[in-house]
Amino acid sequence: DVVETNPDFLGGYESIVKILRKKPLDYDVIICGNDYMAYGVLKALKEFQINVPQEVGVTGFDDIFFSSVTSVPLTSVHVPLEELAQKSVQILHKIIKKNVEIDSLSNLCDEVFPTLAIREST
């Protein structure tokens, strides 16, 4: 299932509550668009007495600081934001100074690799 919602704590919380009120949980993992949404999912699962990760895993995306210190440390995709920002500035500089087409610079961001921070939620 794919659920469109607000990309925040409340969006994650309300989405999983809506699903759990309709049917029993039949997922191996819930993948969230960001860590804040995953925190909302974790709260809802706790209220429904569903154990993470024993009954279902939960992952986020962006690996913000709090993900490592929540009651169930969150598995999350770590995006190296500083490197990504540096590459973005390099691209912008080349576009402004050298009048380079954006398409010819797309490979600069190929050097920035996200990693998976595996924690107790999976």
Side-chain angles (χ1 to χ4, degrees):
D1 295 327
V2 175
V3 178
E4 289 186 41
T5 188
N6 292 327
D8 56 20
F9 180 90
L10 191 57
Y13 177 85
E14 289 176 344
S15 295
I16 197 65
V17 166
K18 185 177 178 181
I19 290 169
L20 291 171
R21 286 186 178 153
K22 282 195 223 175
K23 62 181 183 176
L25 186 72
D26 62 350
Y27 304 112
D28 293 325
V29 68
I30 299 168
I31 301 171
C32 301
N34 63 52
D35 288 1
Y36 290 114
M37 293 174 76
Y39 301 152
V41 168
L42 288 171
K43 180 178 179 0
L45 292 173
K46 184 175 182 179
E47 289 176 5
F48 278 80
Q49 298 179 346
I50 296 170
N51 296 314
V52 175
Q54 294 84 357
E55 295 177 67
V56 64
V58 178
T59 67
F61 190 97
D62 57 17
D63 194 29
I64 62 175
F65 169 76
F66 296 107
S67 297
S68 65
V69 297
T70 55
S71 61
V72 177
L74 182 66
T75 294
S76 185
V77 175
H78 175 78
V79 179
L81 294 178
E82 189 172 317
E83 290 178 53
L84 191 58
Q86 288 172 351
K87 295 293 178 187
S88 299
V89 170
Q90 288 173 4
I91 290 171
L92 183 59
H93 183 262
K94 285 188 178 188
I95 291 170
I96 292 170
K97 293 293 182 183
K98 298 180 180 177
N99 198 22
V100 176
E101 293 293 322
I102 293 173
D103 290 342
S104 66
L105 297 171
S106 61
N107 63 343
L108 278 177
C109 286
D110 291 341
E111 300 169 23
V112 179
F113 298 102
T115 57
L116 185 60
I118 299 173
R119 298 192 182 96
E120 295 172 33
S121 69
T122 57

